[in-house]
Short mmCIF file of all heavy atoms in Angstrom, two decimals:
data_model
loop_
_atom_site.label_atom_id
_atom_site.label_comp_id
_atom_site.label_asym_id
_atom_site.label_seq_id
_atom_site.Cartn_x
_atom_site.Cartn_y
_atom_site.Cartn_z
N VAL A 19 -0.19 -28.00 12.95
CA VAL A 19 -0.02 -28.49 11.59
C VAL A 19 0.75 -27.46 10.76
O VAL A 19 0.37 -26.30 10.67
CB VAL A 19 -1.39 -28.76 10.92
CG1 VAL A 19 -1.22 -29.19 9.47
CG2 VAL A 19 -2.17 -29.81 11.69
N LYS A 20 1.85 -27.92 10.17
CA LYS A 20 2.63 -27.08 9.28
C LYS A 20 2.32 -27.50 7.85
O LYS A 20 2.47 -28.66 7.50
CB LYS A 20 4.12 -27.22 9.57
CG LYS A 20 4.99 -26.30 8.74
CD LYS A 20 6.45 -26.42 9.18
CE LYS A 20 7.31 -25.36 8.52
NZ LYS A 20 8.68 -25.39 9.06
N VAL A 21 1.89 -26.54 7.04
CA VAL A 21 1.57 -26.81 5.64
C VAL A 21 2.67 -26.19 4.78
O VAL A 21 3.03 -25.02 4.97
CB VAL A 21 0.20 -26.21 5.25
CG1 VAL A 21 -0.09 -26.44 3.78
CG2 VAL A 21 -0.91 -26.81 6.11
N ILE A 22 3.20 -26.97 3.85
CA ILE A 22 4.26 -26.51 2.96
C ILE A 22 3.78 -26.63 1.52
O ILE A 22 3.31 -27.69 1.10
CB ILE A 22 5.54 -27.35 3.15
CG1 ILE A 22 6.02 -27.29 4.60
CG2 ILE A 22 6.63 -26.89 2.20
CD1 ILE A 22 7.10 -28.30 4.94
N VAL A 23 3.89 -25.54 0.79
CA VAL A 23 3.61 -25.56 -0.66
C VAL A 23 4.96 -25.46 -1.34
O VAL A 23 5.68 -24.48 -1.17
CB VAL A 23 2.69 -24.40 -1.08
CG1 VAL A 23 2.48 -24.41 -2.58
CG2 VAL A 23 1.36 -24.47 -0.35
N GLU A 24 5.30 -26.49 -2.07
CA GLU A 24 6.61 -26.57 -2.71
C GLU A 24 6.56 -26.09 -4.15
O GLU A 24 5.52 -26.06 -4.78
CB GLU A 24 7.11 -28.01 -2.65
CG GLU A 24 7.30 -28.52 -1.24
CD GLU A 24 7.67 -29.99 -1.18
OE1 GLU A 24 7.29 -30.73 -2.10
OE2 GLU A 24 8.34 -30.37 -0.22
N ASN A 25 7.72 -25.71 -4.65
CA ASN A 25 7.92 -25.41 -6.07
C ASN A 25 7.16 -24.16 -6.53
O ASN A 25 6.66 -24.11 -7.64
CB ASN A 25 7.52 -26.63 -6.91
CG ASN A 25 8.31 -26.71 -8.19
OD1 ASN A 25 9.45 -26.26 -8.26
ND2 ASN A 25 7.70 -27.27 -9.21
N VAL A 26 7.06 -23.16 -5.65
CA VAL A 26 6.36 -21.92 -5.97
C VAL A 26 7.29 -21.02 -6.78
O VAL A 26 8.41 -20.73 -6.36
CB VAL A 26 5.91 -21.20 -4.68
CG1 VAL A 26 5.20 -19.90 -5.01
CG2 VAL A 26 5.04 -22.12 -3.83
N PRO A 27 6.85 -20.54 -7.96
CA PRO A 27 7.71 -19.68 -8.77
C PRO A 27 7.89 -18.29 -8.16
O PRO A 27 6.91 -17.66 -7.75
CB PRO A 27 6.99 -19.59 -10.12
CG PRO A 27 5.59 -20.02 -9.86
CD PRO A 27 5.58 -20.84 -8.62
N VAL A 28 9.14 -17.85 -8.09
CA VAL A 28 9.48 -16.54 -7.54
C VAL A 28 10.61 -15.93 -8.36
O VAL A 28 11.16 -16.57 -9.24
CB VAL A 28 9.95 -16.65 -6.06
CG1 VAL A 28 8.84 -17.17 -5.16
CG2 VAL A 28 11.20 -17.50 -5.93
N GLU A 29 10.95 -14.71 -8.05
CA GLU A 29 12.15 -14.05 -8.56
C GLU A 29 13.12 -14.01 -7.37
O GLU A 29 12.77 -13.43 -6.32
CB GLU A 29 11.83 -12.63 -9.03
CG GLU A 29 10.91 -12.57 -10.23
CD GLU A 29 11.66 -12.79 -11.53
OE1 GLU A 29 12.72 -12.18 -11.72
OE2 GLU A 29 11.17 -13.58 -12.36
N LYS A 30 14.30 -14.59 -7.51
CA LYS A 30 15.21 -14.71 -6.38
C LYS A 30 16.58 -14.13 -6.72
O LYS A 30 17.12 -14.36 -7.80
CB LYS A 30 15.36 -16.18 -5.97
CG LYS A 30 16.13 -16.38 -4.69
CD LYS A 30 16.06 -17.85 -4.27
CE LYS A 30 16.78 -18.08 -2.96
NZ LYS A 30 16.70 -19.50 -2.58
N CYS A 31 17.17 -13.40 -5.76
CA CYS A 31 18.50 -12.82 -5.92
C CYS A 31 19.54 -13.89 -5.57
O CYS A 31 19.52 -14.46 -4.48
CB CYS A 31 18.66 -11.61 -5.00
SG CYS A 31 20.31 -10.87 -5.08
N ALA A 32 20.45 -14.12 -6.49
CA ALA A 32 21.50 -15.11 -6.27
C ALA A 32 22.52 -14.64 -5.24
O ALA A 32 23.20 -15.45 -4.62
CB ALA A 32 22.21 -15.43 -7.58
N ASP A 33 22.63 -13.32 -5.01
CA ASP A 33 23.60 -12.80 -4.07
C ASP A 33 23.10 -12.78 -2.63
O ASP A 33 23.76 -13.28 -1.72
CB ASP A 33 24.04 -11.38 -4.48
CG ASP A 33 24.94 -11.41 -5.70
OD1 ASP A 33 25.88 -12.23 -5.71
OD2 ASP A 33 24.69 -10.62 -6.63
N CYS A 34 21.93 -12.17 -2.39
CA CYS A 34 21.46 -12.02 -1.01
C CYS A 34 20.37 -13.02 -0.63
O CYS A 34 20.02 -13.14 0.54
CB CYS A 34 20.98 -10.59 -0.75
SG CYS A 34 19.42 -10.16 -1.53
N GLY A 35 19.80 -13.72 -1.61
CA GLY A 35 18.78 -14.72 -1.32
C GLY A 35 17.37 -14.16 -1.19
O GLY A 35 16.42 -14.91 -1.02
N GLU A 36 17.24 -12.85 -1.25
CA GLU A 36 15.91 -12.23 -1.15
C GLU A 36 15.07 -12.66 -2.36
O GLU A 36 15.56 -12.76 -3.47
CB GLU A 36 16.07 -10.70 -1.15
CG GLU A 36 14.83 -9.94 -0.81
CD GLU A 36 14.44 -10.04 0.65
OE1 GLU A 36 15.33 -10.20 1.52
OE2 GLU A 36 13.24 -9.94 0.93
N TRP A 37 13.78 -12.92 -2.10
CA TRP A 37 12.92 -13.30 -3.21
C TRP A 37 11.60 -12.56 -3.14
O TRP A 37 11.17 -12.13 -2.09
CB TRP A 37 12.72 -14.81 -3.30
CG TRP A 37 12.18 -15.50 -2.09
CD1 TRP A 37 12.90 -16.08 -1.09
CD2 TRP A 37 10.80 -15.69 -1.74
NE1 TRP A 37 12.07 -16.62 -0.15
CE2 TRP A 37 10.77 -16.39 -0.52
CE3 TRP A 37 9.59 -15.34 -2.33
CZ2 TRP A 37 9.58 -16.76 0.10
CZ3 TRP A 37 8.41 -15.69 -1.71
CH2 TRP A 37 8.41 -16.40 -0.50
N THR A 38 10.99 -12.41 -4.30
CA THR A 38 9.67 -11.79 -4.40
C THR A 38 8.78 -12.72 -5.19
O THR A 38 9.24 -13.49 -6.03
CB THR A 38 9.73 -10.41 -5.08
OG1 THR A 38 10.29 -10.56 -6.38
CG2 THR A 38 10.55 -9.42 -4.29
N ILE A 39 7.50 -12.60 -4.91
CA ILE A 39 6.53 -13.45 -5.58
C ILE A 39 5.48 -12.56 -6.22
O ILE A 39 5.09 -11.54 -5.66
CB ILE A 39 5.91 -14.45 -4.57
CG1 ILE A 39 5.01 -15.46 -5.27
CG2 ILE A 39 5.16 -13.71 -3.47
CD1 ILE A 39 4.60 -16.61 -4.38
N GLY A 40 5.04 -12.94 -7.41
CA GLY A 40 4.00 -12.20 -8.10
C GLY A 40 2.64 -12.41 -7.43
O GLY A 40 2.43 -13.39 -6.70
N ALA A 41 1.73 -11.50 -7.65
CA ALA A 41 0.41 -11.57 -7.02
C ALA A 41 -0.32 -12.86 -7.37
O ALA A 41 -0.87 -13.53 -6.49
CB ALA A 41 -0.42 -10.35 -7.40
N ALA A 42 -0.33 -13.23 -8.64
CA ALA A 42 -1.05 -14.44 -9.06
C ALA A 42 -0.43 -15.69 -8.44
O ALA A 42 -1.15 -16.58 -7.97
CB ALA A 42 -1.05 -14.55 -10.58
N GLU A 43 0.90 -15.75 -8.42
CA GLU A 43 1.58 -16.91 -7.84
C GLU A 43 1.34 -16.98 -6.33
O GLU A 43 1.16 -18.05 -5.76
CB GLU A 43 3.08 -16.87 -8.13
CG GLU A 43 3.43 -17.07 -9.59
CD GLU A 43 3.30 -15.81 -10.44
OE1 GLU A 43 3.02 -14.72 -9.88
OE2 GLU A 43 3.47 -15.91 -11.66
N GLY A 44 1.35 -15.80 -5.68
CA GLY A 44 1.09 -15.76 -4.23
C GLY A 44 -0.32 -16.20 -3.91
O GLY A 44 -0.54 -16.97 -2.96
N ASP A 45 -1.30 -15.74 -4.69
CA ASP A 45 -2.69 -16.16 -4.48
C ASP A 45 -2.83 -17.66 -4.65
O ASP A 45 -3.47 -18.34 -3.84
CB ASP A 45 -3.63 -15.45 -5.45
CG ASP A 45 -3.82 -13.98 -5.13
OD1 ASP A 45 -3.43 -13.55 -4.01
OD2 ASP A 45 -4.35 -13.26 -5.99
N ARG A 46 -2.22 -18.20 -5.71
CA ARG A 46 -2.30 -19.65 -5.97
C ARG A 46 -1.66 -20.45 -4.83
O ARG A 46 -2.22 -21.43 -4.36
CB ARG A 46 -1.64 -19.98 -7.30
CG ARG A 46 -1.70 -21.45 -7.66
CD ARG A 46 -1.22 -21.69 -9.10
NE ARG A 46 -1.06 -23.08 -9.39
CZ ARG A 46 -2.03 -23.93 -9.66
NH1 ARG A 46 -3.28 -23.51 -9.68
NH2 ARG A 46 -1.79 -25.20 -9.92
N ALA A 47 -0.51 -20.00 -4.35
CA ALA A 47 0.16 -20.69 -3.24
C ALA A 47 -0.72 -20.64 -1.99
O ALA A 47 -0.85 -21.64 -1.27
CB ALA A 47 1.52 -20.06 -2.98
N ASP A 48 -1.32 -19.49 -1.71
CA ASP A 48 -2.20 -19.37 -0.54
C ASP A 48 -3.41 -20.29 -0.66
O ASP A 48 -3.82 -20.93 0.31
CB ASP A 48 -2.67 -17.92 -0.37
CG ASP A 48 -1.59 -17.00 0.16
OD1 ASP A 48 -0.54 -17.49 0.62
OD2 ASP A 48 -1.80 -15.77 0.12
N GLN A 49 -4.01 -20.35 -1.85
CA GLN A 49 -5.17 -21.22 -2.06
C GLN A 49 -4.79 -22.68 -1.87
O GLN A 49 -5.52 -23.45 -1.23
CB GLN A 49 -5.77 -20.96 -3.44
CG GLN A 49 -6.42 -19.60 -3.55
CD GLN A 49 -6.56 -19.09 -4.97
OE1 GLN A 49 -5.97 -19.64 -5.91
NE2 GLN A 49 -7.33 -18.04 -5.15
N LEU A 50 -3.64 -23.08 -2.41
CA LEU A 50 -3.18 -24.46 -2.22
C LEU A 50 -2.91 -24.76 -0.75
O LEU A 50 -3.23 -25.85 -0.26
CB LEU A 50 -1.91 -24.70 -3.05
CG LEU A 50 -2.11 -24.75 -4.56
CD1 LEU A 50 -0.77 -24.69 -5.28
CD2 LEU A 50 -2.89 -26.00 -4.96
N MET A 51 -2.36 -23.78 -0.04
CA MET A 51 -2.08 -23.96 1.39
C MET A 51 -3.38 -24.12 2.18
O MET A 51 -3.48 -24.99 3.05
CB MET A 51 -1.28 -22.76 1.90
CG MET A 51 -0.62 -23.01 3.23
SD MET A 51 0.51 -21.68 3.68
CE MET A 51 1.68 -21.72 2.35
N ALA A 52 -4.36 -23.29 1.87
CA ALA A 52 -5.65 -23.39 2.57
C ALA A 52 -6.31 -24.73 2.30
O ALA A 52 -6.82 -25.38 3.23
CB ALA A 52 -6.56 -22.24 2.13
N LEU A 53 -6.30 -25.18 1.05
CA LEU A 53 -6.89 -26.49 0.72
C LEU A 53 -6.18 -27.62 1.45
O LEU A 53 -6.83 -28.53 1.96
CB LEU A 53 -6.84 -26.72 -0.79
CG LEU A 53 -7.86 -25.95 -1.61
CD1 LEU A 53 -7.60 -26.12 -3.09
CD2 LEU A 53 -9.27 -26.39 -1.26
N ALA A 54 -4.86 -27.56 1.50
CA ALA A 54 -4.11 -28.61 2.20
C ALA A 54 -4.42 -28.60 3.70
O ALA A 54 -4.57 -29.66 4.31
CB ALA A 54 -2.61 -28.41 1.97
N ALA A 55 -4.56 -27.42 4.29
CA ALA A 55 -4.87 -27.32 5.72
C ALA A 55 -6.27 -27.87 6.00
O ALA A 55 -6.47 -28.62 6.97
CB ALA A 55 -4.75 -25.87 6.19
N ILE A 56 -7.23 -27.51 5.16
CA ILE A 56 -8.60 -28.03 5.35
C ILE A 56 -8.60 -29.54 5.19
O ILE A 56 -9.20 -30.26 6.00
CB ILE A 56 -9.58 -27.36 4.37
CG1 ILE A 56 -9.75 -25.87 4.71
CG2 ILE A 56 -10.94 -28.06 4.40
CD1 ILE A 56 -10.50 -25.07 3.66
N ALA A 57 -7.91 -30.06 4.18
CA ALA A 57 -7.84 -31.51 3.95
C ALA A 57 -7.17 -32.23 5.11
O ALA A 57 -7.51 -33.38 5.41
CB ALA A 57 -7.10 -31.80 2.65
N ALA A 58 -6.24 -31.54 5.79
CA ALA A 58 -5.54 -32.15 6.93
C ALA A 58 -6.38 -32.10 8.21
O ALA A 58 -5.96 -32.63 9.24
CB ALA A 58 -4.21 -31.43 7.16
N GLY A 59 -7.53 -31.45 8.15
CA GLY A 59 -8.41 -31.41 9.31
C GLY A 59 -8.24 -30.19 10.20
O GLY A 59 -8.76 -30.16 11.31
N VAL A 60 -7.50 -29.19 9.74
CA VAL A 60 -7.37 -27.95 10.52
C VAL A 60 -8.74 -27.28 10.55
O VAL A 60 -9.38 -27.12 9.51
CB VAL A 60 -6.31 -27.01 9.92
CG1 VAL A 60 -6.26 -25.70 10.67
CG2 VAL A 60 -4.95 -27.70 9.91
N ARG A 61 -9.19 -26.89 11.72
CA ARG A 61 -10.51 -26.28 11.89
C ARG A 61 -10.41 -25.10 12.85
O ARG A 61 -10.85 -25.16 13.98
CB ARG A 61 -11.52 -27.30 12.44
CG ARG A 61 -11.71 -28.54 11.57
CD ARG A 61 -12.43 -28.21 10.28
NE ARG A 61 -12.68 -29.36 9.46
CZ ARG A 61 -11.93 -29.74 8.44
NH1 ARG A 61 -10.82 -29.08 8.13
NH2 ARG A 61 -12.25 -30.78 7.70
N THR A 62 -9.80 -24.03 12.38
CA THR A 62 -9.66 -22.83 13.21
C THR A 62 -10.40 -21.67 12.57
O THR A 62 -10.62 -21.63 11.36
CB THR A 62 -8.18 -22.43 13.37
OG1 THR A 62 -7.66 -22.04 12.09
CG2 THR A 62 -7.34 -23.57 13.96
N GLY A 63 -10.76 -20.72 13.39
CA GLY A 63 -11.40 -19.51 12.90
C GLY A 63 -10.49 -18.76 11.95
O GLY A 63 -10.94 -18.22 10.93
N HIS A 64 -9.20 -18.73 12.29
CA HIS A 64 -8.22 -18.05 11.42
C HIS A 64 -8.23 -18.66 10.02
O HIS A 64 -8.25 -17.93 9.02
CB HIS A 64 -6.83 -18.15 12.04
CG HIS A 64 -5.72 -17.78 11.10
ND1 HIS A 64 -5.47 -16.48 10.72
CD2 HIS A 64 -4.81 -18.54 10.45
CE1 HIS A 64 -4.45 -16.46 9.87
NE2 HIS A 64 -4.03 -17.70 9.69
N LEU A 65 -8.22 -19.98 9.92
CA LEU A 65 -8.23 -20.64 8.61
C LEU A 65 -9.53 -20.37 7.88
O LEU A 65 -9.53 -20.13 6.68
CB LEU A 65 -7.99 -22.15 8.75
CG LEU A 65 -8.03 -22.94 7.44
CD1 LEU A 65 -7.00 -22.43 6.44
CD2 LEU A 65 -7.83 -24.43 7.72
N LEU A 66 -10.64 -20.39 8.59
CA LEU A 66 -11.92 -20.13 7.95
C LEU A 66 -11.95 -18.71 7.37
O LEU A 66 -12.32 -18.51 6.21
CB LEU A 66 -13.07 -20.32 8.94
CG LEU A 66 -14.44 -20.46 8.31
CD1 LEU A 66 -15.28 -21.47 9.07
CD2 LEU A 66 -15.16 -19.14 8.24
#
């Protein structure tokens, strides 16, 4: 199962494409990803 969280706010370089994410935004994206994985029925020790 591949989980995608779209529209995550970041700071992105227009020249090289490198991007960074703030701690709060990263935590929120991770939480949304975990919820989506659990809702999709993923049941692994890693996810837990």
